[in-house]
Amino acid sequence: MSAQPIPKPAGDCANDSLAAATPIEQLRFARNVIRVEGQHLTRLAAEIDQRIVAAANQLLACKGSVIISGIGKAGIIGQKLSATLSSTGTRSHFLHSAEAVHGDLGKVQADDVVVLLSHSGKTEEVVRLLPALSAQSQSLIAITASASSPLGQGVDLVIEIGSTQEVCTLGLAPSTSTTAMLAVCDALALLTSELRGFTSSDFARYHPGGSLGQKLSSVDDVMRPVGQCRIASDSTSVRDVLVMNSKSGRRSGAVMLTDQEGRLSGIFTDSDLARLLERRRERALDGPIVEVMSSQVTRVRSGSLLADAIQILAQRRISELPVTDANQRPVGLIDITDIVSLLPNDEPNPPQILPMRPQV
């Protein structure tokens, strides 16, 4: 993969010419940095070959850990690759190339696959590890500019990113090369994840904390369990349902109704009660609740993602969402007030909660 001339940003990063330039000229410089790197990524996407597929399959088949090693800027990218692999289903650890020769080589086991990162392929701290790593691991993969480099010649498989023209006008500061290496690492990690069949539920297990973890958690983690919910037989009168189903703690505005088999058959909300009173249908209070309940109940299955439940609440404009098991028996209830309490105080763009309307 050979480098082609790329237009460089105007100005010289070795002097202060841009400091005296207009804001428009400075903006043009910044935009051109991104444009130049983008041009190389486009070219790299077209030229990357089947070796990245072979590498992904090696990571997929690895029985041990995927060990990532590098130093300097490549080492930082290697840490990111290791983190991405770990969070998408592939056990991975980062091994600092300089620390490896001072005892950390003991982390590498016979069933591990090692991925070595160096753009030049000549980095001394990386190249000198080759004999030891080759003897201790299952296989070696390199991500480097050329397969003909010392690193490329010492491994089992090479993913070439090609020689690059750094975007700095001095051609010294790692920029285009590190962007290309990062993109290839992302492609390798995500391809491996896809081959593994990694799902959003798997992702949730590895990201239990923060707002991301909340969105990917299960409805079972936040629902009010059945013992805290108001549940009654749909043959019971409205009055008896309301009198006999008081619960301590935070009161939900809905009663879940069940048939003779214990399956969810309907829901009766505070809004339903208000409509009966507004229409002066007091006699209905002593009739079976099945006659006035909402029988077309929106529900979610136990084990569903919380994010899906929130979407249903917003789209349907409802405030209570029953959770049922595989036999349609209620196991809990999602209440909109509980969802709102999960939102972080500093959420810059919280999910839009639409005005509530009665469940139909």
Side-chain angles (χ1 to χ4, degrees):
M1 191 180 300
S2 60
Q4 301 178 17
I6 301 175
K8 294 182 179 180
D12 188 344
C13 61
N15 56 44
D16 61 354
S17 60
L18 273 182
T22 67
I24 294 298
E25 291 171 330
Q26 294 170 359
L27 176 60
R28 186 180 298 117
F29 179 95
R31 285 176 171 174
N32 204 46
V33 168
I34 299 172
R35 185 178 299 111
V36 169
E37 294 193 359
Q39 288 172 355
H40 184 79
L41 289 184
T42 299
R43 202 160 50 241
L44 178 60
E47 296 179 4
I48 203 78
D49 58 28
Q50 283 290 326
R51 285 174 290 184
I52 194 171
V53 177
N57 277 280
Q58 284 195 27
L59 303 193
L60 182 68
C62 178
K63 301 300 183 183
S65 298
V66 176
I67 307 296
I68 313 296
S69 188
I71 196 169
K73 304 298 187 296
I76 294 172
I77 293 172
Q79 292 179 55
K80 197 273 183 184
L81 171 58
S82 181
T84 303
L85 287 169
S86 295
S87 68
T88 55
T90 300
R91 186 166 66 249
S92 178
H93 307 286
F94 179 75
L95 174 65
H96 193 283
S97 300
E99 297 295 335
V101 294
H102 295 285
D104 283 1
L105 274 173
K107 297 178 179 179
V108 182
Q109 303 299 312
D111 55 357
D112 293 341
V113 173
V114 180
V115 181
L116 297 158
L117 279 66
S118 168
H119 179 253
S120 68
K122 302 175 182 178
T123 307
E124 179 185 355
E125 293 88 346
V126 176
V127 173
R128 68 179 175 180
L129 295 177
L130 291 173
L133 290 175
S134 180
Q136 289 181 222
S137 65
Q138 176 182 323
S139 64
L140 302 181
I141 299 171
I143 300 178
T144 187
S146 173
S148 62
S149 66
L151 175 60
Q153 292 178 337
V155 299
D156 304 298
L157 179 63
V158 179
I159 302 175
E160 287 185 287
I161 62 175
S163 57
T164 59
Q165 188 177 41
E166 303 294 6
V167 74
C168 173
T169 51
L170 292 180
L172 298 176
S175 48
T176 312
S177 61
T178 49
T179 299
M181 184 174 287
L182 177 61
V184 168
C185 287
D186 282 344
L188 176 62
L190 297 180
L191 174 57
T192 305
S193 177
E194 286 294 313
L195 293 174
R196 193 177 298 282
F198 197 73
T199 67
S200 56
S201 297
D202 297 322
F203 197 86
R205 292 204 312 272
Y206 297 132
H207 299 78
S211 59
L212 179 60
Q214 290 173 358
K215 292 175 184 177
L216 292 173
S217 61
S218 167
V219 292
D220 303 72
D221 297 330
V222 298
M223 70 180 184
R224 299 186 185 191
V226 68
Q228 298 177 17
C229 299
R230 296 194 291 168
I231 300 179
S233 168
D234 58 15
S235 61
T236 309
S237 71
V238 176
R239 192 183 303 275
D240 287 343
V241 167
L242 298 178
V243 171
M244 299 170 58
N245 277 274
S246 60
K247 292 288 181 182
S248 59
R250 299 181 64 184
R251 178 180 178 277
S252 173
V255 181
M256 292 184 286
L257 290 314
T258 58
D259 61 18
Q260 293 180 346
E261 304 298 326
R263 296 170 299 197
L264 183 69
S265 58
I267 193 168
F268 188 81
T269 68
D270 289 349
S271 296
D272 294 322
L273 175 61
R275 280 197 300 275
L276 289 180
L277 299 177
E278 289 169 358
R279 296 171 184 174
R280 300 185 181 279
R281 296 181 58 191
E282 286 82 358
R283 291 184 180 180
L285 296 178
D286 293 308
I289 199 169
V290 68
E291 296 179 356
V292 293
M293 71 183 187
S294 299
S295 58
Q296 300 298 318
V297 189
T298 302
R299 67 195 76 188
V300 291
R301 179 83 169 268
S302 174
S304 299
L305 290 179
L306 177 59
D308 295 335
I310 293 175
Q311 189 70 16
I312 292 172
L313 288 168
Q315 290 179 344
R316 300 279 296 176
R317 301 185 184 184
I318 56 179
S319 52
E320 294 92 9
L321 185 62
V323 181
T324 58
D325 62 17
N327 296 313
Q328 296 303 315
R329 293 184 174 88
V331 295
L333 182 76
I334 299 291
D335 191 286
I336 190 66
T337 58
D338 298 327
I339 298 298
V340 171
S341 69
L342 293 176
L343 297 176
N345 295 328
D346 58 350
E347 181 80 31
N349 295 298
Q352 183 181 10
I353 304 297
L354 301 176
M356 295 300 140
R357 68 181 180 189
Q359 187 146 176
V360 294

